[in-house]
């Protein structure tokens, strides 16, 4: 699958989940240890903005990636604007010819950054769904593709929680979205603390 199309489809698929976030839920704990939903959403917005800036061939500015203020009345609006930005900037026709500066990771070939971004947002879409207690089932085709990508990453990417925790073993018969989450260090049995 073309990395641009993969990323665009991932963001499109998780958008209805993120759209259900309400301001009163931002204090809820998430599957990401130590993060409340507000922390996770700020991270998601900052990553979108950072990857978009990288796609514009800008140097990595920590402020772009990390200093995020959410609209208190409509946090989804802040997210939606950032997501539209990264989709637009990833669509640059010559982008595949470049290496992009990703904060904390250095220069990475553009197509690799798109794949990394997409897989990360499958995980974060699931994180949000679990946190707010809505259906966390993800698109099977996208998860199958994402799992193949993640399985090619070095094992050093897993275990410390940065970027992913240790694999959670699941049987091959488990749904592919759960197998992807397990591979990325999420426990599919994680339950929300939301009422």
């Amino acid at each position: 699958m073309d990395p641009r199309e993969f990323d665009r489809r991932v963001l499109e698929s998780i958008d209805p989940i993120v759209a259900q976030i309400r301001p009163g839920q931002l204090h809820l704990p998430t599957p990401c240890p130590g993060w409340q939903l507000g922390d996770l959403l700020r991270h998601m917005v900052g990553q979108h903005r950072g990857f978009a800036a990288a796609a514009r061939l800008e140097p990595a500015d920590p402020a772009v990636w990390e200093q995020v203020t959410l609209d208190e009345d409509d946090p989804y609006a802040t997210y939606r604007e950032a997501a539209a930005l990264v989709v637009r900037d990833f669509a640059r026709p010559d982008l595949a010819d470049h290496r992009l500066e990703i904060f904390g990771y250095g220069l990475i070939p553009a197509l690799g950054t798109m794949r990394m971004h997409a897989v990360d947002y499958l995980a974060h879409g699931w994180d949000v769904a679990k946190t707010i207690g809505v259906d966390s089932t993800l698109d099977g085709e996208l998860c199958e593709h994402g799992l193949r990508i993640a399985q090619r990453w070095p094992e050093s990417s897993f275990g410390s929680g940065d970027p992913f925790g240790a694999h959670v073993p699941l049987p091959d018969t488990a749904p592919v979205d759960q197998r992807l989450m397990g591979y990325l260090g999420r426990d599919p049995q994680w339950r929300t603390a939301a009422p």
Side-chain angles (χ1 to χ4, degrees), residues 20-56:
Q20 296 179 67
I21 294 175
R22 298 295 173 257
Q25 297 172 316
L26 296 180
H27 69 285
L28 294 174
T30 73
C32 306
W35 279 10
Q36 295 182 340
L37 182 57
D39 303 319
L40 173 60
L41 192 58
R42 280 186 289 274
H43 168 78
M44 293 168 71
V45 169
Q47 292 283 299
H48 280 331
R49 290 175 178 169
F51 275 88
R56 297 192 300 270

Side-chain angles (χ1 to χ4, degrees), residues 126 147 158 164-170 175-188:
W126 183 88
L147 183 57
F158 306 93
F164 300 108
H167 306 306
V168 176
L170 291 172
V176 66
D177 58 337
Q178 293 187 20
R179 285 187 282 123
L180 173 60
M181 292 306 113
Y183 195 81
L184 297 178
R186 266 75 171 171
D187 180 358

Side-chain angles (χ1 to χ4, degrees), residues 51-135:
F51 275 88
R56 297 192 300 270
L57 307 184
E58 297 174 8
D61 178 354
V64 172
W65 292 79
E66 296 187 322
Q67 295 180 14
V68 174
T69 301
L70 300 173
D71 181 327
E72 291 185 9
D73 296 321
D74 187 2
Y76 168 66
T78 309
Y79 171 84
R80 185 181 62 233
E81 180 182 348
L85 196 65
V86 76
V87 169
R88 182 199 73 190
D89 291 332
F90 273 175
R92 281 185 46 172
D94 66 337
L95 193 58
D97 300 330
H98 295 279
R99 292 168 66 85
L100 310 185
E101 188 174 347
I102 305 302
F103 180 61
Y105 295 91
L107 291 169
I108 300 176
L111 297 181
T113 68
M114 293 176 196
R115 293 182 185 104
M116 184 169 76
H117 182 263
V119 172
D120 197 36
Y121 278 80
L122 283 169
H124 288 326
W126 183 88
D127 292 333
V128 171
K130 283 290 194 176
T131 298
I132 63 176
V134 300
D135 184 6

